[in-house]
C-alpha cells in the first residue's frame, strides 16, 4: 500500500453510507460525513485545485485553514489527490503564530472552509496586507467552491458548484501515476526554541507504517468508534483521521467544552458509543480533578492510549479501577517520528508511586540510546542513561524550508556497532531496564543548582507519584537560584515538601511549592511551561 487514498477507496466502496466523521459546532448543530462524502468531495475539490495549478504550484505545500470539524479531513484528502502535502492551521491560533507558519511554509495556495475564511480575511487585513495568495474557499453547506487571488479577497474570481461534474478523472489519474511512498503527506508545525515554529514534513510511507503498527497494538477493528480530543492541526489527530479510513471505523470530534465537565464528557462518549481514545495525559487527569466517575460511568470505552507527558499512576489507577477490562497503553515519541515510536501495554494494576516505562519500539521503528556527548556511540548497558534516538521508515523527511535545523536534528551516523543510519536525536534521556525503555526527562531541562546537575523532570516524576497530586511542573529561576514546583490536586504543600525529601535529594526539593486549580495548557494539551516561567 503506497498511498492513504487506497484506504479511502476501499472503505468508501465497502461502506459508502457509513458515517466516518462527526462533529458539533458551538450551537450543538451536528455534522456527519460518510465515507462516500469524503471520497466524492475530495475528488471534486482535488480536481478544482489540480485544474487551476501552475507549474510553480505543483510541488508546494497547501496551507489548510479549517475548523475542528467533520469536513476537515475532506480538505486534507483533496490535497493528497494533488500529491501535495497539506499543512493544517487552526484559525484560533494567535495571528503572530499564523504569520510565522506562513513565513515558514511559503505557500502559493491556501485552502479553507467558509467559516475559517471569515477569520482568514481579518488576518489578511491585519497582518498580511499586500501579500497575494491564491485562496480556495469551500462552502460545504452551500456546496460551492470559490477562488480568490491577487489579493482580491472581497470578490471571487471563480465560483463553481460542488458536483460530480467537477471531477476530472484523467487529471487525477495522471497525478496518481506519479505517487511515490516517500512523497510528503502532511506538515505539522511544532514549537521551536527560537520562537520560530518547525514544520515537520512526513511521508506517506511513514504515516502508513505508524497507523499499521498502532492499530495492531490497540487491536483496532471496523466496529471501533474513536473519540477525538486534540486539535486537527496537532500530530495526535492523525490517528482519528486515518484509522477510520483504514478500517471503515468512525471518529467523533468531541466539543472542547466537554473536557471541562466530566459528566458531559462521559455522557457524550456513552451516547456515541465511543470505544477507543488516544488522548494527551492531561485530557485524562483533568476530568479526575473535576469529579470524573463520581456520577457518570463509562459504558463503551475499552481502548485507551495516552501520550504527551508522564502519566501519574495515581490517576491511571482511578481509570483502571473504573474500567477494569480496558486496554491501557502508554505511548512515547516525537512528531518527528510520526507521532510515537515506543509503547507500553499496562498489563497490571498500577500503584500510586509507580513510574511507567515507555516500553518497546513499534513495528518498523529502530529506537536506541547514544552517548549524550557523542551521538555515534551506542549506550547498551542495563540502566545506563543516554539520549533516545530513532531511525527507520517512520522518520520525518525534514523541517520544511529549514535546512539548518534539519541537519542539526536528523543526522547520518556510523554508529559504534559499525552500522550507518539516519537518526533523529530526540533530546530526551532514557535507559533500558528489563528490556523496556524508560524515560528520564529532557536534555534541555537539565540545570545547575547549588553545584549539582538537576533534571527538572526528575522532580516532577517524584511529585507526580505522590497521593493527591494530579499534575506538576517544576521551573528554575536562574537569577534567584530558585526551584519552584507548581501543582494541581488536593495535596497539602507542606506534605508535598516532606514527602519529596523521602524521594529525592534535599538540594532538589523546590524552595517554593505553589498550588493551582489547573496548570496552564497549550492547545495540544501539554503543560505551558513558558507560561509558568513568567508567572
Amino acid at each position: 500500500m503506497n498511498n492513504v487514498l487506497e484506504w479511502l477507496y476501499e472503505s468508501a466502496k465497502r461502506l459508502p453510507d457509513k458515517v466516518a466523521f462527526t462533529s458539533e459546532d458551538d450551537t450543538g448543530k451536528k455534522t456527519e460525513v460518510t465515507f462516500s462524502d469524503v471520497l466524492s468531495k475530495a475528488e471534486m475539490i482535488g480536481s478544482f485545485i489540480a485544474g487551476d495549478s501552475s507549474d510553480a504550484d505543483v510541488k508546494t505545500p497547501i496551507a489548510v485553514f479549517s475548523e475542528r470539524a467533520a469536513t476537515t479531513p475532506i480538505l486534507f484528502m483533496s490535497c493528497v489527490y494533488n500529491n501535495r502535502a497539506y499543512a493544517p492551521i487552526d484559525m484560533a491560533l494567535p495571528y503572530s503564530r499564523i504569520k510565522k507558519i506562513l513565513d515558514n511554509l511559503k505557500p502559493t495556495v491556501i485552502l479553507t472552509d467558509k467559516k475559517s475564511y471569515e477569520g482568514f480575511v481579518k488576518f489578511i487585513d491585519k497582518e498580511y496586507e499586500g501579500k497575494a495568495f491564491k485562496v480556495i474557499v469551500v462552502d460545504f453547506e452551500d456546496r460551492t467552491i470559490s477562488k480568490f487571488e491577487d489579493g482580491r479577497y472581497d470578490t471571487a474570481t471563480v465560483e463553481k458548484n460542488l458536483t460530480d461534474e467537477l471531477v476530472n478523472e484523467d487529471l487525477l489519474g495522471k497525478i496518481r501515476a506519479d505517487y511515490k511512498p516517500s512523497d510528503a503527506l502532511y506538515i505539522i508545525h511544532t514549537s521551536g526554541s527560537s520562537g520560530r515554529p518547525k514544520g515537520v514534513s512526513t511521508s506517506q510511507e511513514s504515516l502508513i507504517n505508524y497507523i499499521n503498527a498502532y492499530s495492531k497494538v490497540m487491536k483496532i477493528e471496523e466496529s471501533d468508534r474513536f473519540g477525538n480530543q486534540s486539535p486537527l492541526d496537532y500530530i495526535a489527530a492523525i490517528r482519528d483521521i486515518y484509522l477510520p479510513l483504514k478500517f471503515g471505523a468512525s471518529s467523533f470530534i468531541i466539543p472542547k467544552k466537554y473536557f471541562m465537565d466530566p459528566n458531559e464528557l462521559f455522557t457524550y462518549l456513552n451516547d456515541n458509543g465511543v470505544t477507543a481514545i488516544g488522548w494527551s495525559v492531561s485530557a485524562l487527569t483533568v476530568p479526575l480533578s473535576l469529579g470524573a466517575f463520581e456520577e457518570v460511568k463509562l459504558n463503551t470505552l475499552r481502548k485507551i492510549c495516552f501520550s504527551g507527558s508522564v502519566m501519574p499512576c495515581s490517576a491511571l489507577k482511578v481509570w483502571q479501577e473504573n474500567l477494569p477490562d480496558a486496554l491501557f497503553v502508554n505511548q512515547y515519541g516525537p512528531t518527528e517520528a510520526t507521532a510515537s515510536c515506543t509503547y507500553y501495554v499496562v498489563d497490571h494494576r498500577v500503584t500510586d508511586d509507580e513510574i511507567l516505562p515507555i516500553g518497546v519500539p513499534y513495528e518498523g521503528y529502530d529506537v536506541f540510546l547514544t552517548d549524550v556527548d557523542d551521538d555515534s556511540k551506542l549506550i547498551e548497558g542495563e540502566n545506563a542513561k543516554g539520549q533516545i534516538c530513532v531511525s527507520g521508515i517512520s522518520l520525518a523527511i525534514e523541517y520544511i524550508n529549514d535546512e539548518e535545523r534539519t541537519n542539526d536534528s536528523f543526522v547520518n551516523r556510523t554508529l559504534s556497532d559499525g552500522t550507518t543510519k539516519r537518526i533523529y536525536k530526540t533530546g530526551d534521556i532514557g535507559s533500558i531496564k528489563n528490556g523496556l525503555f524508560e524515560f528520564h526527562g529532557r536534555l534541555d531541562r537539565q540545570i545547575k543548582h547549588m553545584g549539582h546537575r538537576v533534571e527538572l523532570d526528575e522532580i516532577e516524576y517524584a511529585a507526580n507519584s505522590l497521593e493527591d497530586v494530579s499534575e506538576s511542573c517544576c521551573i528554575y529561576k536562574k537569577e534567584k537560584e530558585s526551584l519552584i514546583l507548581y501543582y494541581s490536586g488536593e495535596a497539602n504543600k507542606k506534605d508535598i515538601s516532606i514527602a519529596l525529601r523521602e524521594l529525592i535529594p534535599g538540594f532538589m526539593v523546590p524552595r517554593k511549592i505553589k498550588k493551582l486549580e489547573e496548570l496552564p495548557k497549550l492547545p495540544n494539551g501539554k503543560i505551558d511551561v513558558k507560561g509558568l516561567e513568567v508567572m
Side-chain angles (χ1 to χ4, degrees):
M1 217 278 283
N2 293 328
N3 192 285
V4 296
L5 292 177
E6 295 177 38
W7 286 340
L8 174 57
Y9 291 144
E10 177 59 30
S11 291
K13 177 181 177 181
R14 193 164 48 86
L15 304 162
D17 299 323
K18 183 175 180 179
V19 174
F21 303 102
T22 301
S23 62
E24 291 180 15
D25 64 17
D26 294 338
T27 68
K29 180 182 178 182
K30 181 184 290 188
T31 299
E32 294 182 334
V33 175
T34 66
F35 284 103
S36 62
D37 286 334
V38 178
L39 179 62
S40 62
K41 289 185 173 62
E43 285 182 329
M44 296 172 197
I45 300 167
S47 293
F48 184 92
I49 295 172
D52 188 66
S53 296
S54 66
D55 291 340
D57 290 337
V58 292
K59 289 301 180 182
T60 60
I62 297 176
V64 180
F65 286 87
S66 60
E67 298 181 81
R68 192 166 166 266
T71 51
T72 294
I74 296 174
L75 301 180
F76 295 165
M77 291 305 104
S78 67
C79 299
V80 181
Y81 267 109
N82 280 261
N83 199 23
R84 293 168 67 178
Y86 64 86
I89 304 173
D90 187 345
M91 257 331 296
L93 290 171
Y95 286 149
S96 60
R97 182 170 175 82
I98 292 174
K99 182 178 184 300
K100 289 177 182 178
I101 290 174
L102 291 178
D103 284 342
N104 173 243
L105 279 175
K106 301 176 175 59
T108 58
V109 175
I110 288 174
L111 177 63
T112 178
D113 58 57
K114 180 65 180 298
K115 184 175 179 180
S116 297
Y117 175 69
E118 294 169 0
F120 176 77
V121 171
K122 294 177 183 177
F123 167 72
I124 288 295
D125 291 342
K126 182 175 181 179
E127 298 283 351
Y128 257 62
E129 187 174 356
K131 299 266 182 116
F133 296 104
K134 181 190 300 179
V135 183
I136 295 173
V137 182
V138 180
D139 188 331
F140 286 102
E141 287 194 7
D142 289 348
R143 296 180 60 85
T144 60
I145 185 167
S146 306
K147 182 178 71 169
F148 300 78
E149 60 183 343
D150 298 332
R152 295 190 296 272
Y153 301 111
D154 54 346
T155 305
T157 55
V158 178
E159 181 173 303
K160 294 188 177 182
N161 293 323
L162 277 180
T163 65
D164 291 336
E165 294 178 359
L166 274 181
V167 178
N168 187 330
E169 289 285 2
D170 290 339
L171 181 56
L172 295 182
K174 290 177 182 178
I175 296 172
R176 255 196 321 270
D178 292 331
Y179 285 161
K180 297 187 294 293
S182 58
D183 289 334
L185 174 63
Y186 60 75
I187 298 164
I188 299 289
H189 280 83
T190 65
S191 297
S193 58
S194 65
R196 290 183 295 118
K198 297 180 292 187
V200 183
S201 177
T202 301
S203 70
Q204 292 266 359
E205 61 186 354
S206 296
L207 181 280
I208 290 167
N209 177 76
Y210 171 71
I211 291 296
N212 286 340
Y214 177 89
S215 60
K216 288 180 183 178
V217 172
M218 297 302 297
K219 307 183 190 309
I220 301 301
E221 302 171 326
E222 180 183 311
S223 59
D224 276 315
R225 296 161 75 84
F226 306 104
N228 165 261
Q229 168 254 328
S230 69
L232 299 186
D233 62 335
Y234 180 55
I235 187 62
I238 64 172
R239 296 185 288 269
D240 303 316
I241 294 169
Y242 289 102
L243 287 169
L245 299 189
K246 174 177 170 61
F247 288 93
S250 300
S251 267
F252 295 82
I253 300 171
I254 305 170
K256 186 177 179 180
K257 62 182 180 181
Y258 289 163
F259 285 91
M260 297 311 296
D261 186 331
N263 290 336
E264 287 197 24
L265 175 62
F266 284 13
T267 298
Y268 180 95
L269 296 177
N270 289 335
D271 288 348
N272 290 288
V274 171
T275 62
I277 58 175
W279 288 0
S280 67
V281 165
S282 64
L284 296 172
T285 58
V286 170
L288 295 181
S289 68
L290 299 173
F293 294 112
E294 292 177 4
E295 297 181 30
V296 181
K297 306 298 182 183
L298 288 170
N299 302 326
T300 59
L301 186 60
R302 294 291 180 267
K303 303 168 186 179
I304 299 103
C305 180
F306 47 88
S307 58
S309 56
V310 177
M311 167 64 85
C313 281
S314 57
L316 177 57
K317 188 172 77 169
V318 177
W319 280 87
Q320 286 184 315
E321 289 169 348
N322 283 277
L323 295 171
D325 299 322
L327 169 67
F328 290 90
V329 176
N330 184 27
Q331 181 178 253
Y332 159 84
T335 303
E336 289 84 350
T338 315
S340 290
C341 55
T342 69
Y343 69 94
Y344 174 70
V345 177
V346 185
D347 58 1
H348 63 283
R349 291 293 184 91
V350 299
T351 58
D352 285 348
D353 59 352
E354 189 175 342
I355 296 176
L356 295 177
I358 56 175
V360 297
Y362 274 116
E363 186 176 305
Y365 287 80
D366 184 13
V367 184
F368 47 92
L369 304 176
T370 64
D371 187 276
V372 171
D373 299 316
D374 181 359
D375 54 36
S376 66
K377 182 180 179 182
L378 293 170
I379 302 295
E380 297 177 313
E382 184 82 356
N383 294 325
K385 293 181 180 180
Q387 178 173 198
I388 302 174
C389 293
V390 189
S391 186
I393 193 173
S394 286
L395 281 196
I397 300 169
E398 62 179 349
Y399 296 127
I400 189 164
N401 297 323
D402 199 335
E403 184 177 359
E404 181 179 352
R405 286 201 284 195
T406 297
N407 292 338
D408 284 343
S409 296
F410 298 89
V411 295
N412 291 299
R413 289 289 184 266
T414 299
L415 302 173
S416 53
D417 65 354
T419 61
T420 299
K421 300 176 180 178
R422 179 177 182 257
I423 67 175
Y424 172 71
K425 301 182 292 182
T426 66
D428 292 333
I429 300 296
S431 65
I432 300 175
K433 183 178 181 180
N434 299 324
L436 300 173
F437 282 91
E438 297 190 341
F439 175 74
H440 297 285
R442 291 283 303 169
L443 273 172
D444 53 17
R445 296 202 75 208
Q446 186 183 85
I447 58 144
K448 195 75 172 289
H449 178 58
M450 297 175 64
H452 300 275
R453 290 197 177 277
V454 174
E455 294 286 353
L456 298 179
D457 292 307
E458 188 175 351
I459 299 172
E460 294 169 6
Y461 300 152
N464 288 340
S465 73
L466 301 179
E467 187 175 359
D468 293 330
V469 172
S470 299
E471 287 185 301
S472 70
C473 181
C474 188
I475 67 169
Y476 184 61
K477 296 287 189 179
K478 188 174 181 180
E479 66 280 3
K480 296 182 179 180
E481 296 187 343
S482 175
L483 288 165
I484 304 174
L485 180 74
Y486 293 93
Y487 77 99
S488 63
E490 298 302 316
N492 178 279
K493 290 188 285 185
K494 182 178 179 181
D495 291 341
I496 291 176
S497 182
I498 293 172
L500 287 178
R501 293 179 187 279
E502 299 294 322
L503 299 174
I504 55 179
F507 63 82
M508 291 177 62
V509 177
R511 182 185 307 172
K512 295 181 180 180
I513 299 176
K514 298 183 178 182
K515 180 179 178 178
L516 300 176
E517 287 299 315
E518 181 183 352
L519 271 59
K521 299 294 194 307
L522 297 168
N524 60 22
K526 294 184 179 181
I527 294 172
D528 184 1
V529 178
K530 292 188 181 299
L532 288 172
E533 288 175 346
V534 298
M535 287 183 68

